[in-house]
Amino acid sequence: NADLTTAQVFSRLLPDTPQKYLGLYNDDDIMSSRDATLRNHLMVRRNYEALVSGDGACAGCGEKSILRAVASVTEAYMRPLYHRKADRLTAKAARLAQEGADKLALLKARSESEYQLLRKTFAHVIVGLGGENDRDTAKRIAAYEATHGPITDDELVSGLVAVLRQDAFNHKELQAIDGRRANGMSVMMMGASTGCNTVYGSTPPANPHAYPWMNSLFQDGATISWLMAESVIVGHAHRSVAPERLSDALLDRTEHVMTEGDYFTLTHLDDALMTEQEIRELPKVWVIGGDGALGDIGFQNVSKVILQNRPNVKMLMLDTQVYSNTGGQNSDSSTMLGGYDMNQFGVASQGKLIEKKNVAEAFTSGHGSPFVAQVSIANAPKLYKAMLEGLDYRGTAFYQCYTTCQPEHGVGDNMSAEQAKLVRDARGMPEFVFNPRKGETAQEAFDLKGNPSVDRDWWNTKYASTGEAYTFSVAHWALTEGRFRKHLKSISEAEASMLIPLNDMLYFVTQDDVIHRRVFDERHRSFIPNFGCCIKVETDGVFTYYAVTRQMVLFAVERRKAWRMLQSKAGVVNKDYLAQRAFLAKVDKGELPLDEAKARVTELMAGELAGVH
């Protein structure tokens, strides 16, 4: 409401906030106040990106931010297109009402055959008399005219005008939902696989989806949404594209107003024959599902749909790394560490020992030419930009987004954005965009911008209080989520001095060592003692030490390998990898004794790094 002052707005939004705080904010400078109490409550980024609200979801659910980004970005992209199209159609309808009769008379005088073909096209496409073949169509038109009389020129022109004006109304003036302003029909539809998003997405009276939405069986969301998208294409072609093209032909052509080729195109119109602009104006269908629905049990369905590369199918995988709404089972996208409610880690079970499926990466190879992005609310501008690029792409787009599940991950209700940042920085789930429009090589299509220390194994950062350099690994991220608590054990500094720093241990292990189980061989350089490695962590200027399980080390090796593979696809040279290969070659050939290598690993690796060019 433009008549309300900023303080009045805050007063309505926060009725329990003392007036002395509300008065601090004015229309000239909303954040001029030095009072931290209200400022921190309102404007801490991780708080408002968590979007804690009463829509039936768990408080702070990481999925909600991404789902609302999908809806709002699609709306922001599509609504201006809809309104411009409405204005365009309105102008054409006005021109047709004024000039159409004369244009039709001129056409009839110049070419009777083109005139009759245009009438036939109108009867087929606009009146809806098209049949299975030309003979069937002629029979239907004859039957119609026998009952209602021949379609007159005035009826033809006024019929086109009415269709254009109705479509303009649908795109700009239609009140799609009771209580919302008239703003045009929905720009999108959504097919959601059964899971958390469908539970809170269908919890009355707080259904958050202000557009056509449906719930499918768990594994079928992709294929059902694909069929929805095909129906949208058919409707768009028949209701919107063909009438405008027919009007353009009558208004703007002076010869070849209607040919047999035009008739065939307009009566068989699909997305392959649409222009870039007509595709942009095509309503979009979003496939929504978790890592279980889209990356595990429904993976084949997703693969099938992505291969179709349909122009209005967009997919979002809400990756909690667990089957959240069934109690925390493993999915193929789960980490190696396990530790969920239904996958306990301990003496009797080592949890999940297989590598994590990199779902988004899988669709960048052997799946045609989809737009693929692995992004999250950790980098909101990149998330929105990737969504806009995918919406504009004339093909399927797939997004994998890390989304915290507060009860299963064991994190605070306001931490979804922060956890997404940590998992990215730890290489647990790096950011990338794969845009086929950039070129036909992986190096051109892949973009790794947004990840810290992009040409290194890990993020190289510093302790805040001392400035001492250290590497931020998956163990540092895992420490912040309760689900991994059994993999980390608090120890004293003295105890830590007896263990191997995790980063040092990683220099001696490759993924091939894990595959061949050399990591369990005490005689091999890659042997990993359980709780034999440690990390050092700073919290508010205080240092603490943690011993980590063998599986944590294996997880770090696996994530490092996955990151190196991603770097190579993007054409990024990893200096640490080259240095480690040179270092291990000397150890394995006996040129460097293992005891000496372990004792001097930091020094020796620094030397190898210095030699990398």
Side-chain angles (χ1 to χ4, degrees):
N1 189 328
D3 297 327
L4 293 178
T5 67
T6 303
Q8 288 172 323
V9 171
F10 280 132
S11 180
R12 293 190 181 189
L13 291 174
L14 303 168
D16 297 327
T17 303
Q19 186 63 39
K20 67 175 183 177
Y21 291 133
L22 297 174
L24 297 172
Y25 299 92
N26 56 66
D27 294 321
D28 297 325
D29 185 6
I30 191 172
M31 291 308 294
S32 63
S33 167
R34 297 180 182 180
D35 188 284
T37 304
L38 186 57
R39 180 177 67 246
N40 288 345
H41 176 68
L42 292 175
M43 300 304 291
V44 173
R45 176 173 175 174
R46 71 184 184 194
N47 286 348
Y48 66 76
E49 285 184 342
L51 290 175
V52 178
S53 61
D55 60 3
C58 299
C61 170
E63 293 184 358
K64 293 189 297 181
S65 302
I66 307 298
L67 271 179
R68 292 177 184 179
V70 160
S72 55
V73 171
T74 305
E75 181 75 22
Y77 174 82
M78 292 292 295
R79 190 60 62 187
L81 291 174
Y82 270 26
H83 286 191
R84 286 195 293 270
K85 180 176 181 176
D87 293 341
R88 184 179 77 231
L89 295 178
T90 299
K92 289 182 179 181
R95 186 182 166 201
L96 194 61
Q98 183 176 2
E99 305 174 25
D102 292 338
K103 294 280 187 179
L104 202 56
L106 288 173
L107 174 63
K108 183 177 183 179
R110 183 181 63 78
S111 173
E112 178 69 23
S113 62
E114 287 187 41
Y115 169 77
Q116 292 298 336
L117 189 55
L118 187 139
R119 284 171 52 84
K120 179 182 176 182
T121 306
F122 175 82
H124 188 299
V125 176
I126 306 301
V127 182
L129 298 176
E132 295 294 327
N133 49 44
D134 285 343
R135 183 177 178 180
D136 187 29
T137 298
K139 182 179 178 180
R140 294 185 182 202
I141 293 175
Y144 175 87
E145 293 186 336
T147 304
H148 303 283
I151 298 173
T152 66
D153 288 358
D154 181 63
E155 288 174 332
L156 189 153
V157 172
S158 61
L160 275 177
V161 169
V163 169
L164 292 181
R165 286 176 174 166
Q166 181 63 55
D167 203 30
F169 174 85
N170 291 345
H171 279 80
K172 192 173 185 179
E173 305 297 334
L174 182 70
Q175 183 178 356
I177 297 175
D178 186 35
R180 293 182 64 180
R181 67 189 180 97
N183 199 35
M185 64 186 188
S186 179
V187 300
M188 62 176 278
M189 302 166 70
M190 180 182 288
S193 294
T194 298
C196 286
N197 80 90
T198 61
V199 175
Y200 67 73
S202 59
T203 305
N207 188 318
H209 305 306
Y211 35 80
W213 173 90
M214 69 160 289
N215 169 215
S216 76
L217 289 175
F218 187 61
Q219 69 273 23
D220 294 336
T223 43
I224 289 177
S225 299
W226 168 27
L227 296 180
M228 290 165 57
E230 294 293 348
S231 70
V232 169
I233 291 174
V234 172
H236 181 65
H238 178 79
R239 166 189 51 79
S240 193
V241 178
E244 184 177 11
R245 287 195 186 186
L246 188 59
S247 301
D248 289 341
L250 179 59
L251 287 172
D252 298 329
R253 294 183 186 178
T254 56
E255 56 182 26
H256 306 300
V257 172
M258 187 57 55
T259 66
E260 289 291 345
D262 294 328
Y263 172 74
F264 183 86
T265 296
L266 292 180
T267 56
H268 294 78
L269 188 62
D270 62 14
D271 63 287
L273 301 175
M274 291 181 188
T275 66
E276 291 290 327
Q277 184 66 22
E278 289 164 347
I279 290 295
R280 288 192 181 97
E281 294 168 348
L282 177 63
K284 306 302 185 281
V285 178
W286 277 94
V287 182
I288 306 295
D291 47 288
L294 301 188
D296 196 342
I297 193 171
F299 183 79
Q300 174 57 42
N301 286 2
V302 176
S303 174
K304 178 73 174 180
V305 173
I306 283 182
L307 276 170
Q308 313 311 308
N309 211 32
R310 307 306 287 142
N312 61 334
V313 175
K314 313 299 171 183
M315 297 181 163
L316 171 65
M317 176 173 151
L318 298 164
D319 191 3
T320 64
Q321 302 182 346
V322 294
Y323 282 83
S324 299
N325 75 314
T326 58
Q329 298 166 262
N330 276 319
S331 78
D332 287 346
S333 186
S334 296
T335 70
M336 292 178 67
L337 299 181
Y340 321 122
D341 287 351
M342 297 179 68
N343 176 20
Q344 292 300 312
F345 171 84
V347 176
S349 172
Q350 290 297 304
K352 182 176 185 280
L353 291 173
I354 61 173
E355 297 178 49
K356 172 183 168 68
K357 180 194 286 183
N358 301 305
V359 179
E361 287 183 59
F363 296 134
T364 66
S365 178
H367 280 82
S369 302
F371 179 97
V372 182
Q374 186 164 278
V375 286
S376 73
I377 203 67
N379 188 340
K382 185 167 186 174
L383 171 72
Y384 304 146
K385 182 174 184 291
M387 287 183 175
L388 287 169
E389 290 176 339
L391 286 167
D392 195 59
Y393 182 59
R394 189 170 179 150
T396 298
F398 180 89
Y399 300 87
Q400 182 172 352
C401 300
Y402 180 79
T403 54
T404 54
C405 175
Q406 265 63 13
E408 294 300 338
H409 291 190
V411 300
D413 292 345
N414 65 335
M415 294 299 289
S416 60
E418 180 66 18
Q419 295 308 117
K421 176 182 181 298
L422 291 176
V423 73
R424 176 201 65 192
D425 294 348
R427 313 299 194 213
M429 195 169 162
E431 287 183 357
F432 74 83
V433 173
F434 178 84
N435 189 347
R437 300 177 76 170
K438 298 292 184 67
E440 296 186 3
T441 65
Q443 290 78 15
E444 292 172 298
F446 269 101
D447 177 7
L448 299 187
K449 293 176 183 176
N451 297 289
S453 304
V454 73
D455 62 344
R456 305 296 298 275
D457 276 339
W458 307 105
W459 175 28
N460 293 294
T461 184
K462 296 179 180 180
Y463 293 116
S465 61
T466 65
E468 176 189 356
Y470 77 101
T471 56
F472 187 87
S473 72
V474 289
H476 294 81
W477 158 62
L479 182 64
T480 68
E481 298 199 357
R483 57 177 167 154
F484 304 128
R485 59 190 177 276
K486 291 188 177 182
H487 290 280
L488 297 118
K489 182 169 60 177
S490 179
I491 58 175
S492 66
E493 183 176 0
E495 290 172 316
S497 66
M498 304 297 292
L499 302 181
I500 307 168
L502 173 61
N503 196 53
D504 288 357
M505 182 73 249
L506 292 175
Y507 290 132
F508 291 93
V509 189
T510 68
Q511 187 61 34
D512 190 60
D513 293 326
V514 180
I515 293 170
H516 289 276
R517 302 299 189 252
R518 291 187 284 265
V519 293
F520 298 101
D521 184 354
E522 295 185 14
R523 299 167 297 176
H524 196 265
R525 58 162 167 76
S526 64
F527 171 69
I528 305 171
N530 196 30
F531 282 112
C533 299
C534 65
I535 60 171
K536 176 182 176 181
V537 179
E538 181 183 22
T539 305
D540 296 328
V542 178
F543 288 105
T544 52
Y545 300 84
Y546 295 88
V548 300
T549 60
R550 176 190 291 115
Q551 199 166 357
M552 179 68 78
V553 183
L554 299 182
F555 178 48
V557 172
E558 181 267 334
R559 287 290 82 202
R560 182 184 64 184
K561 187 270 300 188
W563 169 240
R564 288 172 172 178
M565 285 285 187
L566 191 57
Q567 288 172 308
S568 67
K569 293 174 185 176
V572 175
V573 177
N574 184 322
K575 301 175 182 178
D576 294 305
Y577 175 58
L578 297 178
Q580 184 194 17
R581 282 179 62 88
F583 172 69
L584 291 183
K586 293 176 182 178
V587 174
D588 292 341
K589 290 177 182 178
E591 297 174 6
L592 180 61
L594 183 57
D595 289 344
E596 180 183 353
K598 289 184 175 181
R600 300 173 52 209
V601 60
T602 303
E603 171 195 344
L604 294 172
M605 278 299 301
E608 296 292 351
L609 274 169
V612 172
H613 300 291

